[in-house]
Amino acid sequence: MSPIELNKRQEEILRIVKGNGPITGEQIADRLHLTRATLRPDLAILTMAGFLDARPRVGYFYSGKKPGQDISDTMNNMKVKDFQSIPVVVREDVSVYDAISQMFLDDVGTLFVVDKNSYLTGVLSRKDLLRTSLGSQNLGAIPVHIIMTRMPNITFCTKNDSLIQAAHRLINQQIDALPVVEEQPDGFKVVGRLTKTNITRAFLSLSESHEL
Ligand code: ADP
């Protein structure tokens, strides 16, 4: 096991928890003037690498023990919920033109499509929209449900899936993003977006918390 090298923010979190634990994620975020969501990957890494312990409804405390996990244990414990991004969704009846605008506005490469009850019905990638733009003059008149990849052919994940499982799906299906969904009696609600960028970010956090 190589010595662990933490990034500056992770060092700061450890210092705060050592001095103030048990302390909740929100309280740590407040002290660092960051959002809880920004901190989530760092807290996940510190917990998985054995620096911190987390108890539900109590918070984080410094475990004091030397990090004993090796990198494969840390990787297996990385969950989608710790690295996912906010989803960008559009309704089935919006036009291809508006979907392209939305993609630029929100700076994402994949849009998720939902019906009027907010259940997942489809996915739109950059190339889906480009293909339609090449072949058609009036993008304002074509609703996205005509060109999207639709259920049940959508590959998705849930927030408690491991990041490794999600990465396998991205590679096996040759796609850039998975909707993170919650199953409900009548369909799937979209609660997040898991992209190749999230996997790359997780890869970097690993290299920062294990000296690589
Ligand atoms: P791009 O086409 O911009 O390279 P992708 O590789 O993600 O982006 O998409 C390739 C095709 O797969 C597109 O037709 C898209 O609709 C579809 N697709 C994208 N994400 C998913 C998904 N999670 N499940 C099923 N199909 C998807």
Side-chain angles (χ1 to χ4, degrees):
M1 177 75 202
S2 52
I4 289 199
E5 192 173 282
L6 301 174
N7 68 27
K8 242 182 114 205
R9 190 192 287 161
Q10 290 164 348
E11 298 274 13
E12 277 185 80
I13 294 171
L14 272 190
R15 192 175 43 73
I16 290 171
V17 178
K18 266 188 204 169
N20 305 279
I23 179 168
T24 66
E26 273 85 27
Q27 290 166 331
I28 301 171
D30 278 350
R31 282 169 186 261
L32 293 172
H33 307 293
L34 296 168
T35 65
R36 174 76 178 83
T38 311
L39 233 51
R40 193 163 290 130
D42 292 314
L43 287 170
I45 287 286
L46 289 171
T47 309
M48 287 182 278
F51 286 101
L52 298 182
D53 271 330
R55 294 223 185 101
R57 286 179 293 281
V58 178
Y60 292 91
F61 53 94
Y62 185 63
S63 70
K65 65 174 190 262
K66 282 264 175 285
Q69 280 188 328
D70 67 24
I71 198 162
S72 66
D73 288 335
T74 309
M75 281 177 87
N76 284 323
N77 285 328
M78 292 169 121
K79 299 276 189 236
V80 165
K81 65 180 172 202
D82 297 319
F83 294 92
Q84 70 187 33
S85 301
I86 293 167
V88 180
V89 295
V90 295
R91 287 277 294 274
E92 298 177 305
D93 47 3
V94 307
S95 68
V96 169
Y97 184 94
D98 286 342
I100 293 172
S101 307
Q102 195 74 47
M103 209 172 243
F104 277 104
L105 218 59
D106 286 298
D107 193 18
V108 292
T110 309
L111 297 172
F112 302 130
V113 185
V114 297
D115 63 17
K116 61 181 186 328
N117 298 314
S118 302
Y119 290 123
L120 177 67
T121 58
V123 171
L124 287 168
S125 75
R126 278 179 281 233
K127 262 181 255 153
D128 293 332
L129 296 169
L130 272 176
R131 191 181 306 116
T132 310
S133 311
L134 282 179
S136 163
Q137 299 294 319
N138 192 359
L139 300 178
I142 306 169
V144 292
H145 67 80
I146 295 187
I147 66 154
M148 69 188 188
T149 302
R150 57 176 53 249
M151 287 292 261
N153 298 322
I154 306 297
T155 307
F156 52 76
C157 63
T158 64
K159 64 183 169 54
N160 288 317
D161 285 341
S162 78
L163 215 54
I164 301 279
Q165 280 174 307
H168 273 296
R169 280 176 213 157
L170 288 169
I171 293 298
N172 291 342
Q173 303 297 319
Q174 303 184 355
I175 49 182
D176 293 344
L178 301 173
V180 184
V181 301
E182 248 171 44
E183 187 165 11
Q184 301 203 342
D186 296 323
F188 294 99
K189 291 270 173 187
V190 183
V191 296
R193 176 169 59 95
L194 202 276
T195 68
K196 288 180 174 172
T197 303
N198 298 129
I199 305 282
T200 308
R201 201 168 285 136
F203 180 75
L204 273 185
S205 338
L206 263 185
S207 83
E208 285 166 348
S209 57
H210 293 258
E211 194 185 58
L212 296 176

